[in-house]
Amino acid sequence: MPKKFEDYKEKLKEIVKSKGLKYSTQREEILKVLYNSKEHLTSEEIYNEVKKINRNIGLATVYRALAFLEEQGLINSISFGSEGKKYELNRGKHHDHMICINCNKIIEFFDEELEKLQKEIAEKHGFKLIAHELNMYGICKECQDKKS
Ligand SMILES: [Zn+2]
Ligand SMILES: [Zn+2]
């Protein structure tokens, strides 16, 4: 069941309160941008979107807010090596990513077998698995077709 933005906002409020911090609408605005986006966004893209709601926001504020939101588990990031990160809202539905190193497209996928296998591997090592991230890097179909 897809959650409403209000649910994410409530969660943010709770976290901010429990940390004894001041509630900032900027964090909320950034969360909103990610909530409304179907894509994974770079910090610059997020900045450009937030600017449409809040003209006065600075890039440094966006960076800080993103770090905070990620630390609190409200959003996730996917690393692009030297090209930086892309962010997405943590919608509570685990998935992994395939990343095209040519056009930066991200394909999301979920595979039951793979999830099971990871747990088994961890168990074999006496390792208590809490979470995992899997990024597969390569060339997407469209980019392969263009090259041939
Ligand atoms: Zn591609
Ligand atoms: Zn994703």
Side-chain angles (χ1 to χ4, degrees):
M1 198 173 52
K3 284 197 224 164
K4 295 183 300 245
F5 181 68
E6 287 304 307
D7 299 333
Y8 293 99
K9 193 172 150 182
E10 272 316 303
K11 189 117 179 262
L12 175 62
K13 275 190 175 157
E14 271 169 35
I15 291 166
V16 168
K17 204 174 155 196
S18 75
K19 300 218 154 254
L21 297 169
K22 235 180 83 190
Y23 192 78
S24 94
T25 51
Q26 290 145 332
R27 292 193 194 110
E28 184 187 317
E29 287 159 1
I30 288 164
L31 204 61
K32 181 114 205 198
V33 166
L34 286 167
Y35 177 82
N36 287 330
S37 173
K38 286 191 180 70
E39 308 274 319
H40 304 73
L41 302 175
T42 64
S43 30
E44 284 75 21
E45 286 167 338
I46 294 164
Y47 172 63
N48 289 330
E49 282 303 309
V50 179
K51 269 208 116 118
K52 291 178 191 165
I53 324 171
N54 178 354
R55 279 191 313 128
N56 299 316
I57 197 162
L59 188 56
T61 307
V62 172
Y63 280 132
R64 269 201 308 273
L66 285 171
F68 177 84
L69 294 171
E70 186 173 12
E71 232 176 75
Q72 302 309 321
L74 287 166
I75 65 173
N76 296 323
S77 73
I78 302 134
S79 175
F80 276 81
S82 58
E83 299 204 42
K85 286 173 166 185
K86 281 196 185 183
Y87 294 89
E88 67 182 341
L89 187 69
N90 181 359
R91 294 180 202 264
K93 239 189 163 176
H94 173 73
H95 59 268
D96 294 304
H97 298 100
M98 279 181 245
I99 299 155
C100 176
I101 57 168
N102 188 56
C103 70
N104 286 350
K105 187 193 359 256
I106 298 176
I107 300 162
E108 298 189 332
F109 71 94
F110 177 83
D111 187 286
E112 202 82 59
E113 289 289 308
L114 194 56
E115 299 294 321
K116 226 179 93 198
L117 191 59
Q118 288 180 105
K119 269 183 209 137
E120 285 167 12
I121 294 167
E123 267 167 35
K124 236 182 260 173
H125 291 263
F127 186 80
K128 187 167 175 272
L129 190 65
I130 296 164
H132 78 266
E133 273 170 41
L134 177 65
N135 292 341
M136 290 163 49
Y137 297 90
I139 316 284
C140 74
K141 194 165 187 310
E142 286 71 24
C143 287
Q144 288 176 54
D145 290 346
K146 259 183 257 162
K147 289 240 162 90
S148 57

